[in-house]
Each structure stands twice: as C-alpha cells, then as structure tokens.
Amino acid sequence: MFKDSSLPCRDTVDFLNDSVAIQRIAKASGFFKRAARKITPQCFVKAIMLAGSCGKVSFNAVARQAGMVTSKPSSRQNLARRCNANAVGFLRDLVSHVIQQRCVIAPEVSSGFNRILIQDGSLIRFADSARKHFPAVSSTREDKAMLHLQFAYDYLTGQTLLAKTHPYSRTDAMATGDILEHLQPGDLCLRDLGYYKADSFQQIDAKGAFYVSRLKSEITVFHGPRKGDTLPLARFLCDSTADVVDQTVRLGQAGTFSTRLVAIRMPAQIAARRRRKLHDEAKRRNQTPSSLKLALCDWLLLITNLTAEKASAQTLRQLYRLRWHVELVFKTLKSNGCLRVLTGHASNPHHLEALLLGQLLQVILHLRLWRMLSPASTTHPLSLLKIAGFVTETLAALWLGSPDVNRWAYHLRSLLQYCRHDKRNRRSLENLLSSLR
C-alpha cells in the first residue's frame, strides 16, 4: 500500500523549526523588541494556526492553544495586545520566508516541463463591520469587507511561489506580472481568462517559458499579412466545419502579438449548458448576450506558444485541465479552518488578517505535505482535500506534546490510508499528467 522509507521526517515538514530565523523576522517587523517571557514568535504563530484549524477565532481560543503549546497559561488580553499591525507585518514576512524555503521534492511524474505553475486569485470575505478597513465597493449590492488573494504554486512539487493579499480593487488583470519574476526557462504557466494580457504572454515567451490560456471572446483576429485582414473571433470560426482549428494568428490592438490559436468544438450538451449560463448572467445584469458570444459557446478557445510537435490540440486541452487544481487549493483554504467563521466574526482588522495569514501558512503546509507523501502511496494518488481535512491532527502531531518520531510516523501512515482518492471512472489529474509524458 505504501513505503515507510519514503515518509518525510518531522523536521522536513515543520517550517517553524528555525527559531533563529523566526526571531530575526519578528524583530525586523517590530513584533518583538525584547526576549519574550511567555509567548515567543513561534508560539504565537502556532497558536494562530492551531486555533484556526479548529474553526475557533476568538482571543480565548488562541490563548488556549498558546497555553497548550507552551504548557503555561496565557491570557486573552495578552493575545489581544499582540494582534496589532506589527503582528500582521510579521506574519506577512513569515509567509514570504516560508515560501522561499526550497524543500527538495522530486516530481512524482514526468511532464516534459521544468515546472507547471498555476496562478489564480480568490476573494476573502470578512464580517461587514470591517468594511472600513477592507473596503469592497460593489455597484450591485451593499458594500462588503473583502481582500483579494493572489496565489501561485508548482503543481509538480507542491512548492508555493506566491501568496499575497491585496485590496479588493486590485483585479487579476492587474496581477498578471506577479508571477513573471518567478519564471524559469522550461516552465509552463497556466492561468485563467482574467489574466489575459498580450504583453504578459510576450514576456513569458521572452523568458523561455510556455503558457496555455483561454482566449477572450471579444478579441479581434489578424488572420492575414495585411493590416486590414481582421475579423471578430466568432466570424473567424463560423465558416469552419472542422472539429479543431489550429493555426498561428496575430492578436492585440495592432496585431503585434503572434501566437498559436487552438479552437476545439465542444459537444452540443456542453455548448447548450454554456449558453444557459451566459443567458443567466446577462439576465442578472439586465443585459442581452450578443450573437457572437452565443456562437462562441460551441468552442473551447486556447492560445499557447507550445508548438504542435510538443503539444497537440487534445494535449493542450488536457494540460489546461490541470489549472482546475487551484480551485481545490482555494477549497482547502475556505472549507477547512476558520475562514467561514470570519464572515460573521466582528473583531479588530489586525486579528482578522492574522487569522487569514495563519490559514495561508496551513495551505502552504498542505501542498508541501501532499507532494512529500505522494511517492509513498503506491496504489492511489493522494487527495489534497482529504489531507487538509486532517489539519488539526497534523498540527497537533507537529507541535503539541514532546517530539515523538513514532507518533509522527503513525500520523503519516494514517494520512496515507485515509487520504487516497476514491475510485472513479474519470481520470484524476495525477493520472492525466502521467498520460501526457
């Protein structure tokens, strides 16, 4: 079922074991100015993460967890004083420090790429009473309290590359350049339609990396050598009777962006579902969908700088499916822990943001542990969602009680037994990637 020799050791998984580095980060951020008597920076982070994993967000809950970590009583008043702007700055710097820790994790499968980087954004909602500090202006409903999270990671190794919160007004389109500094030659970058920018794709190509992205329906296609050889995308495809259109086109306002366009005709059932969704969205906005957008519901539109020799049209379709894994990452963030409770918990904004950053550290831990354990599972791929469901037990095995190698090994064997993917007719993303070698 699994191989004990492949189990990661406790120190490899625990990213809070470097007390010297954490103390340095805490002092640089102003969180701790002198030696702590009761609550050290490590203890503070562990208490925030342990309380959040149980879905408890009050200062009482955090104080109880701090007492369990240190074996000394802690007061909620002490924790309340600690949850200030310096605490938020410390946790942000700690997230960056943990991301920069590069664990040696060998990819479980060969993909033909150096790394497969997936980036996406998600909205994090707080209680409406915090709208002054986290404003989210909406034209269709009452103003809410929200932050915008940008997250990027390597699917092959589980290494997180980007985990930052921004104001609600900073959209995905404004975050297209966030991942560029992390790109290496041979990387594959997968992002949603919200990140579509021609100059961003050109920058990815200039770095020797690859991209696969969906294409906006309102784009004009330059299909000939002359400047006037333009057509709306739907009209460009409407005359085609083939199931796949695969050719090089020029995009952008001046037609300076040359890329490979792959259009795959969708089954009638999927196209009909897309049209229903388009009509429902237009009805909600008191609009009428255009005939061109309705016509494009028949097609899956992808652009890439991968050649046809390296990736066929169907291979591109399967590769883009890997992007959906980031939705599982966001599901682990919002389904396991305290984020659901934060929508109705009124507290000071520093306390709320500290809990969110603690949850981000949990996600980084889940991804790392998921990939570290994968080589030990010889029968079925492991489920990230199921591993996240054991977060309270994982953190307890890491930090509560005396260090016990046998206890940690027993916990990992439990994860391998209970966190495997269920049998299904549809192939998992792991099996899908293996088939693309």
Side-chain angles (χ1 to χ4, degrees):
M1 181 186 300
F2 54 82
K3 300 175 287 186
D4 264 0
S5 59
S6 302
L7 297 180
C9 68
R10 178 175 172 168
D11 289 341
T12 305
V13 178
D14 185 6
F15 47 63
L16 297 181
N17 56 7
D18 189 351
S19 58
V20 175
I22 295 177
Q23 290 279 358
R24 184 175 64 251
I25 296 170
K27 287 183 179 180
S29 64
F31 181 53
F32 273 78
K33 299 180 181 179
R34 56 180 172 80
R37 296 178 181 177
K38 288 186 178 180
I39 304 178
T40 64
Q42 285 173 298
C43 171
F44 177 78
V45 178
K46 291 176 182 180
I48 287 285
M49 293 179 65
L50 284 163
S53 70
C54 302
K56 307 294 184 181
V57 298
S58 67
F59 286 120
N60 267 331
V62 180
R64 284 197 300 271
Q65 296 296 340
M68 294 179 67
V69 172
T70 61
S71 299
K72 299 177 182 179
S74 300
S75 67
R76 64 183 179 86
Q77 291 85 357
N78 191 10
L79 265 300
R81 286 193 298 269
R82 296 293 188 190
C83 279
N84 51 29
N86 289 335
V88 174
F90 162 59
L91 288 170
R92 285 177 179 167
D93 293 342
L94 181 60
V95 170
S96 299
H97 170 74
V98 171
I99 288 175
Q100 291 169 7
Q101 291 178 341
R102 289 290 181 258
C103 297
V104 179
I105 305 175
E108 186 185 3
V109 291
S110 174
S111 63
F113 300 101
N114 179 33
R115 299 180 298 177
I116 297 181
L117 308 185
I118 305 177
Q119 180 186 3
D120 203 359
S122 182
L123 293 176
I124 307 297
R125 183 177 173 183
F126 299 104
D128 292 346
S129 59
R131 65 169 66 92
K132 179 180 177 181
H133 303 278
F134 310 115
V137 180
S138 173
S139 59
T140 58
R141 57 185 178 182
E142 186 180 348
D143 294 350
K144 302 294 182 183
M146 292 184 183
L147 281 178
H148 206 145
L149 168 67
Q150 287 295 328
F151 195 84
Y153 65 102
D154 176 16
Y155 177 82
L156 296 179
T157 63
Q159 294 280 7
T160 304
L161 302 176
L162 176 70
K164 289 186 178 180
T165 56
H166 302 278
Y168 171 83
S169 57
R170 190 174 189 265
T171 63
D172 289 344
M174 298 177 183
T176 53
D178 290 359
I179 202 173
L180 294 178
E181 62 181 279
H182 303 285
L183 284 176
Q184 299 173 3
D187 287 347
L188 173 64
C189 183
L190 301 176
R191 298 189 291 188
D192 198 6
L193 196 59
Y195 295 89
Y196 181 91
K197 273 191 176 180
D199 57 347
S200 175
F201 295 125
Q202 290 172 316
Q203 290 173 318
I204 294 174
D205 187 63
K207 286 180 172 286
F210 305 101
Y211 60 84
V212 179
S213 173
R214 289 172 59 200
L215 185 61
K216 288 187 175 182
S217 58
E218 61 270 18
I219 289 295
T220 298
V221 176
F222 291 76
H223 60 91
R226 294 176 300 177
K227 190 173 181 179
D229 293 338
T230 62
L231 277 177
L233 190 56
R235 293 178 182 172
F236 177 73
L237 296 172
C238 67
D239 294 334
S240 175
T241 58
D243 291 333
V244 177
V245 175
D246 187 345
Q247 67 180 78
T248 300
V249 296
R250 291 181 293 119
L251 304 175
Q253 293 183 349
T256 57
F257 172 42
S258 180
T259 186
R260 176 186 172 198
L261 168 65
V262 176
I264 304 173
R265 193 182 297 274
M266 293 287 96
Q269 183 178 3
I270 295 179
R273 185 168 67 242
R274 285 180 167 188
R275 290 190 181 92
R276 286 195 300 269
K277 184 178 179 180
L278 191 61
H279 279 294
D280 292 342
E281 180 68 17
K283 184 178 180 180
R284 188 177 68 84
R285 297 174 178 269
N286 294 321
Q287 298 174 350
T288 302
S290 67
S291 58
L292 294 180
K293 284 189 175 182
L294 291 172
L296 286 176
C297 290
D298 290 325
W299 300 89
L300 170 65
L301 305 171
L302 299 173
I303 57 171
T304 183
N305 60 341
L306 288 166
T307 63
E309 291 75 18
K310 189 172 181 65
S312 65
Q314 292 303 323
T315 299
L316 287 177
R317 181 181 180 183
Q318 303 297 348
L319 278 174
Y320 193 74
R321 269 190 59 195
L322 295 176
R323 195 206 67 82
W324 285 99
H325 188 264
V326 73
E327 304 299 339
L328 297 181
V329 175
F330 289 145
K331 190 172 182 179
T332 65
L333 175 66
K334 297 181 178 182
S335 300
N336 299 280
C338 65
L339 287 194
R340 289 176 296 177
V341 184
L342 291 184
T343 59
H345 183 77
S347 184
N348 74 72
H350 305 308
H351 177 210
L352 299 177
E353 194 165 359
L355 288 164
L356 168 60
L357 292 168
Q359 293 294 105
L360 280 181
L361 287 170
Q362 285 185 29
V363 172
I364 295 171
L365 175 66
H366 295 152
L367 282 167
R368 184 178 295 184
L369 188 58
W370 167 62
R371 273 308 183 208
M372 284 181 171
L373 281 175
S374 292
S377 180
T378 57
T379 54
H380 294 86
L382 294 179
S383 166
L384 177 64
L385 281 176
K386 291 184 178 181
I387 289 177
F390 281 83
V391 59
T392 303
E393 293 83 353
T394 299
L395 297 183
L398 277 174
W399 298 327
L400 297 183
S402 59
D404 188 343
V405 176
N406 294 328
R407 180 190 180 193
W408 176 246
Y410 173 79
H411 174 68
L412 294 184
R413 287 194 293 269
S414 298
L415 292 181
L416 288 170
Q417 181 175 356
Y418 298 114
C419 297
R420 292 176 293 171
H421 270 297
D422 297 327
K423 292 183 179 180
R424 60 180 73 177
N425 292 328
R426 185 179 182 181
R427 290 186 300 174
S428 68
L429 294 177
E430 294 295 299
N431 294 332
L432 172 64
L433 188 59
S434 299
S435 68
L436 297 176
R437 284 181 292 178

